[in-house]
Amino acid sequence: MRKKVTTISIDENLLRQAKREIPNISVFVESCFIAYLGLDDNIIDVKTELDKIKEAKLKINILTQSNTEETLINAYNKDKINNVWMECWGEYRNTEIINDEQLKKASKILGTTNQELKEMMVDLKLYATGDEIIKCQDFDFAYTKFKQIND
C-alpha cells in the first residue's frame, strides 16, 4: 500500500497534547480512518461481539422483568393466602367460633381440608405462646408451628 503525505489543520494545543500521548499520530489517524470507513476486518469482529453484548443486555432485561413480575405474583399470592387465613384464624383466636363458610373458602385456597384447618386453629390457640400467636398471622409460620406441635 502506497502512503501519501497530506496536511490537516488541528488546534495547536490539541496537537501538542496528542504528540505527548500518541506515539505515532499518522498510524493513529490512519487506523481511525480505516475503522470509520469499515475497511478493517477486526472491526467486523468487534461489531459481532458488540451485537452479542446487546443481545445479552436484552436477555438480562427480559429476565429481570420476568423475575420482577414473578416476585409481584408471589407477593400477591402470599397476601391472598394470609388474608384468607386471617379471616378464619382472627375470628377463632378472638371468639373461638369457627365460621363454616370462611373455613370452606380458606381450606380451598390454603390447600388443606376443613378438618386439618380446624385442628390447626385449635392446636395453635392451645399450645402456641403469646409471641407465636402474634406471628401466626402469617400462614406459613402458623402451618410450620402447627406441624411442630403435632410432631
Side-chain angles (χ1 to χ4, degrees), residues 69-119:
E69 289 171 9
E70 186 177 318
T71 301
L72 291 174
I73 290 169
N74 289 342
Y76 171 77
N77 288 340
K78 186 166 177 61
D79 284 346
K80 183 178 179 181
I81 287 169
N82 284 336
N83 288 341
V84 76
W85 161 245
M86 280 306 297
E87 287 176 13
C88 287
W89 170 241
E91 185 172 341
Y92 179 77
R93 185 188 63 208
N94 294 330
T95 64
E96 294 190 12
I97 295 172
I98 295 177
N99 180 316
D100 287 332
E101 288 302 313
Q102 285 177 338
L103 190 69
K104 286 178 190 175
K105 179 182 172 185
S107 65
K108 190 178 289 186
I109 292 172
L110 299 173
T112 64
T113 64
N114 291 357
Q115 186 60 35
E116 183 181 33
L117 207 51
K118 282 181 186 178
E119 289 174 14

Side-chain angles (χ1 to χ4, degrees), residues 27-73:
V27 171
F28 176 78
V29 170
E30 187 174 316
S31 70
C32 289
F33 285 158
I34 290 170
Y36 182 80
L37 297 171
L39 302 173
D40 187 3
D41 291 338
N42 291 335
I43 297 301
I44 294 170
D45 293 340
V46 170
K47 185 176 179 341
T48 302
E49 296 304 317
L50 287 173
D51 288 344
K52 288 179 185 176
I53 290 171
K54 287 178 186 176
E55 284 181 39
K57 284 182 175 181
L58 178 62
K59 287 178 183 176
I60 289 169
N61 184 44
I62 290 169
L63 288 172
T64 301
Q65 286 181 352
S66 295
N67 288 342
T68 301
E69 289 171 9
E70 186 177 318
T71 301
L72 291 174
I73 290 169

Side-chain angles (χ1 to χ4, degrees), residues 129 132 135:
T129 66
E132 290 170 339
K135 291 178 184 176

